[in-house]
Amino acid sequence: DEQHVSALLVIADTARLRGDVDEAFCLVDQALALAEEHDQPANIALAWLMLGMMHWPRGDYELALEYLGKALVTHETLGKKSGSARDMMNIGIVYAYLGSYEEALEYLGNSLVRYEEIAEKSGVAVVTGNIGGVYAHLGAYDNALVYFEKALATHTELNEKSLIAAITGNIGSVHSSLGQY
């Protein structure tokens, strides 16, 4: 049963990344029902995480925060530090979308601390880049560049090419905003 739920969640995430959100919702709902039926709290938390990640692109920020909050509480209860770091990061991203930048920085900062505690370099780099993005939205370009440069260094060290490209683009956008063409 646990492998079945895990497989459904992987397929759902693939559907989400392909842009087939309706299929992803259906698969996550199936996985969540099975995980609840068989008392699999870790998979329940992953299903909630995915539901949160699927609701915010639709503009359903309150629902996204609700699901991400449930996932965070469950991951914290289970002692899953990587999961809770990811949940905090995603909650921070949702707050950034809402324009609640102080809350965004609070959650992203907590996520960064958690990723550093567990020495998950890629997570550190991703959340660092997100912090840079919040500072860029605030017009605090010097801070944005500091965080983007840190993220770029780690993504480069880990050879994460698509993330290197994204961060390099963000750095270029900041320089453009500063008139440094």
Side-chain angles (χ1 to χ4, degrees):
D1 293 323
E2 195 166 330
Q3 289 175 341
H4 185 184
V5 172
S6 294
L8 284 170
L9 291 172
V10 168
I11 295 167
D13 198 38
T14 301
R16 177 185 68 86
L17 293 170
R18 269 194 340 244
D20 193 348
V21 179
D22 291 333
E23 180 183 352
F25 271 113
C26 182
L27 291 164
V28 172
D29 286 343
Q30 289 176 36
L32 183 57
L34 275 172
E36 289 174 338
E37 179 183 334
H38 296 285
D39 191 31
Q40 300 173 6
N43 279 330
I44 291 169
L46 287 175
W48 285 335
L49 168 67
M50 289 185 64
L51 287 170
M53 290 175 62
M54 291 188 303
H55 277 289
W56 95 59
R58 293 180 145 191
D60 296 332
Y61 300 119
E62 287 185 35
L63 212 48
L65 288 172
E66 178 184 331
Y67 283 118
L68 293 170
K70 287 180 173 184
L72 176 59
V73 168
T74 304
H75 281 130
E76 289 282 323
T77 302
L78 295 172
K80 303 275 187 179
K81 291 184 177 187
S82 181
S84 65
R86 184 178 51 222
D87 299 333
M88 286 185 262
M89 179 180 65
N90 286 312
I91 291 169
I93 292 168
V94 173
Y95 277 122
Y97 273 93
L98 287 168
S100 300
Y101 298 119
E102 284 184 37
E103 284 146 324
L105 288 172
E106 180 181 339
Y107 276 95
L108 292 170
N110 289 334
S111 174
L112 180 60
V113 168
R114 182 63 50 89
Y115 275 128
E116 288 171 340
E117 285 175 2
I118 59 175
E120 196 170 307
K121 282 187 174 185
S122 183
V124 167
V126 170
V127 81
T128 299
N130 281 303
I131 292 170
V134 171
Y135 281 122
H137 283 292
L138 288 169
Y141 298 122
D142 290 340
N143 284 343
L145 287 173
V146 167
Y147 281 92
F148 285 150
E149 293 293 342
K150 286 180 186 178
L152 179 61
T154 305
H155 288 311
T156 301
E157 175 188 336
L158 298 173
N159 198 31
E160 297 173 325
K161 292 180 181 179
S162 65
L163 296 171
I164 292 167
I167 291 293
T168 302
N170 291 338
I171 292 169
S173 293
V174 168
H175 284 294
S176 178
S177 295
L178 289 168
Q180 299 170 343
Y181 305 112

